[in-house]
Structures are given as structure tokens and as C-alpha cells.
Amino acid sequence: MPKNFLPTQIVLHWLVAVFILLQFISSGPMKEAWANVEKGLDFVPHPAVFGHVIGGLLVLLFALWRLYLRRTHGVPPLPEEEPPVLRWVANATHTALYVLLLLTPLSGAVAWFGSLESVAFAHEVLKSLLLLFVLLHIAGGLYQQFVLKTNILARLGIGR
């Protein structure tokens, strides 16, 4: 197991974080465009809609790249002083995040390009779950850093 993340893994982590934030910011115009498509109206191009589509594709590609690097290079182990139940929660949260990082953009693409309302609904549910797990991930990192004092954030280039 590696002692630290590769620089590429760190950059991809933060790129995914930024693009997820941008996805939430650009979701308003996307919802408007989807509502127009559902009403049978013509699609009116909007930069935020294209940005949302491209951003979703990038989240998907970056997540796949991260999974590839996890498989080929591994990741540093969780701190030894972390209680076993929190290790389990951390592993479950990371697994859920990766699943959601794959399914959310895929469902969005299928909904948009296939004009499938049921998949659009699934995309909304997945988006909410992604937000929930991102918040859990952040809370866990802050708990480890400031309560358990593991200096876990140094692994991601913060506070070295």
C-alpha cells in the first residue's frame, strides 16, 4: 500500500470536487431546458446547459480515471488510530461515492439524450444521494482532522 496519494490522484480528487460543485450551480438552466423538452418545445441553446453536459462527462471520466489509479497504484491506508466502525463508514462512503460518481452522470446523459422522464427522475434522486454522501465525506474528513487529529487532510495536499 502506498504511503501517499499520487499527485495525479490529488488533482483528480479536487477536479471532481470542483466539477460536482459546478454541476449543482448549473442545474437550474438544465432543469429549465428539460422542462421545455418535456413540453415539446424546441431546445434553446444555453451555455450553462452545455457546461452541465460537458461537466457531467468530465465527472464520469475523472471518476473512471480515479478508479483506474486506485486499482493500479492503490491508496494510502486509513489512519491506524481510527476506530474500526469509522473505517467501515469511510470505506462504505467511498464506495457509495464512486458508484454515485458513475451513475449520476450516466443517468443524466441517458435522460437528456434519450428524453426519458423516468431516468431523469432517477438522476434527480442520484444527485441528492451524491450531495448527501459528499457532505458525509467532508464531515468525516473534518472529524478525522480536528477531532481524531489524524492529519488526514495532508494526504490531499492540505496542511502539509
Side-chain angles (χ1 to χ4, degrees):
M1 284 212 171
K3 185 176 178 183
N4 293 306
F5 285 108
L6 295 172
T8 305
Q9 288 172 301
I10 295 170
V11 169
L12 286 171
H13 176 274
W14 293 113
L15 281 173
V16 168
V18 166
F19 276 101
I20 288 173
L21 178 62
L22 291 173
Q23 291 304 91
F24 278 96
I25 291 170
S26 67
S27 67
M30 190 64 168
K31 286 180 184 179
E32 287 178 34
W34 177 256
N36 288 338
V37 167
E38 284 185 307
K39 293 175 189 169
L41 301 173
D42 288 336
F43 169 68
V44 179
H46 189 287
V49 171
F50 290 120
H52 191 84
V53 171
I54 297 299
L57 177 62
L58 288 173
V59 167
L60 177 63
L61 292 176
F62 291 158
L64 288 169
W65 191 359
R66 289 181 66 190
L67 285 169
Y68 170 77
L69 291 174
R70 283 179 80 87
R71 179 108 168 107
T72 58
H73 296 284
V75 296
L78 293 170
E80 289 184 21
E81 59 271 28
E82 186 174 359
V85 69
L86 292 182
R87 286 174 179 262
W88 183 88
V89 169
N91 286 324
T93 300
H94 283 110
T95 299
L97 277 170
Y98 277 106
V99 168
L100 292 165
L101 287 172
L102 299 175
L103 291 181
T104 306
L106 285 173
S107 64
V110 169
W112 181 255
F113 294 110
S115 297
L116 298 171
E117 190 173 332
S118 61
V119 180
F121 176 77
H123 180 68
E124 287 297 312
V125 171
L126 290 168
K127 178 183 82 169
S128 297
L129 288 171
L130 179 59
L131 178 60
L132 175 69
F133 277 95
V134 165
L135 293 174
L136 183 61
H137 179 63
I138 292 168
L142 293 174
Y143 181 79
Q144 284 182 343
Q145 182 74 22
F146 297 111
V147 176
L148 298 180
K149 308 230 185 271
T150 62
N151 199 26
I152 194 127
L153 298 182
R155 298 174 358 154
L156 292 173
I158 299 174
R160 288 185 185 234

